[in-house]
Amino acid sequence: MRTRTVVLASHNAKKLAEMQALLAPLEWQVRLVSEFSREAPEETGATFVENALIKARHAAAVSGLPAIADDSGLEVVVLGGAPGVHSARYGGAHGDDDANNRKLLQALEGRSEHERGARFVCAMACLRHAGDPVPVIALGLWSGRILEAPCGNHGFGYDPLFWVPDQGCSSAELDPSVKNRISHRARATQSLLAQLRETEL
Ligand SMILES: O=c1nc[nH]c2c1ncn2[C@H]1C[C@H](O)[C@@H](COP(=O)(O)OP(=O)(O)OP(=O)(O)O)O1
Ligand SMILES: [Mg+2]
């Protein structure tokens, strides 16, 4: 892949930090959509992929650059996959992690350890330009279970409640470099980069 300038289509600072760390090996010049527009497009998609495309298309349009977007969330089995694409505003206000985590604990009140299975989903979309008819799409999944009380201070969102079985800790207890090797976002980024190596971004 040629060295490129891309715009990251997120307004979530903690998510952006992970995306930038994951893309660092490419030595691309990474810009942020907030340099071009403070407006976050409405995520009206029914799927993570549709919302990632909405965000990437908006960022490519306002910046004139190739854009990479991430739409991600938590799916809990006994909640029928909720909060899913509504993860950011599950507790009411958008991006209120405390309210989101409180609502999740309430929804799982009394559930046994075996009924708390969940997974993080990350859908990434990369567009060469706003009208790109051939977007590159990548998915990453990360399975775990929901704790009965938060622990750990790293990460963001639902990390304090997400137990990672093969690490024996919550994702908020993981060193960021470890999370960036195994998370849904890490897996989606690896898949995206593998596809981009075959195409000409
Ligand atoms: O690694 C993660 N660790 C914990 N929680 C996470 C993670 N990844 C996504 N999540 C949760 C946070 C938010 O509640 C929702 C993302 O919603 P999502 O729309 O993709 O992001 P956002 O609205 O925060 O920023 P933006 O849309 O500008 O990228 O899922
Ligand atoms: Mg969002």
Side-chain angles (χ1 to χ4, degrees):
M1 278 175 289
R2 285 178 292 145
T3 303
R4 267 295 192 164
T5 301
V6 293
V7 61
L8 299 187
S10 176
H11 292 278
N12 179 322
K14 297 254 181 156
K15 178 198 284 191
L16 281 168
E18 292 187 5
M19 293 174 79
Q20 286 173 292
L22 289 164
L23 293 171
L26 291 174
E27 294 180 351
W28 285 351
Q29 190 196 353
V30 170
R31 308 283 297 275
L32 307 182
V33 68
S34 54
E35 296 173 45
F36 303 93
S37 165
R38 306 296 301 169
E39 177 218 349
E42 203 181 344
E43 296 175 32
T44 53
T47 66
F48 292 107
V49 172
E50 286 168 277
N51 285 328
L53 282 167
I54 288 169
K55 291 187 269 191
R57 196 166 292 122
H58 170 263
V62 296
S63 69
L65 292 169
I68 296 176
D70 155 322
D71 195 56
S72 42
L74 181 73
E75 293 187 322
V76 181
V77 176
V78 293
L79 301 181
V85 293
H86 306 297
S87 293
R89 51 193 183 280
Y90 184 46
H94 177 278
D96 184 338
D97 291 347
D98 290 339
N100 289 342
N101 285 316
R102 268 197 310 276
K103 179 167 180 180
L104 181 59
L105 287 175
Q106 283 162 7
L108 294 178
E109 182 84 32
R111 291 288 185 173
S112 71
E113 185 177 305
H114 304 293
E115 296 176 296
R116 303 174 80 90
R119 70 178 185 179
F120 275 124
V121 179
C122 176
M124 284 194 165
C126 179
L127 293 182
R128 291 161 298 177
H129 50 83
D132 188 349
V134 191
V136 177
I137 304 291
L139 281 172
L141 305 175
W142 193 23
S143 292
R145 64 175 165 76
I146 304 303
L147 291 163
E148 299 195 25
C151 57
N153 301 310
H154 295 302
F156 64 101
Y158 299 94
D159 281 330
L161 290 179
F162 188 75
W163 178 261
V164 186
D166 57 3
Q167 295 289 323
C169 64
S170 76
S171 50
E173 291 176 294
L174 288 174
D175 181 276
S177 63
V178 174
K179 181 183 174 186
N180 278 343
R181 281 206 307 272
I182 61 176
S183 75
H184 51 315
R185 186 160 298 106
R187 296 169 191 197
T189 305
Q190 295 317 317
S191 168
L192 184 79
L193 297 182
Q195 293 182 69
L196 290 178
R197 280 188 198 97
E198 290 168 21
T199 60
E200 193 48 49
L201 172 64

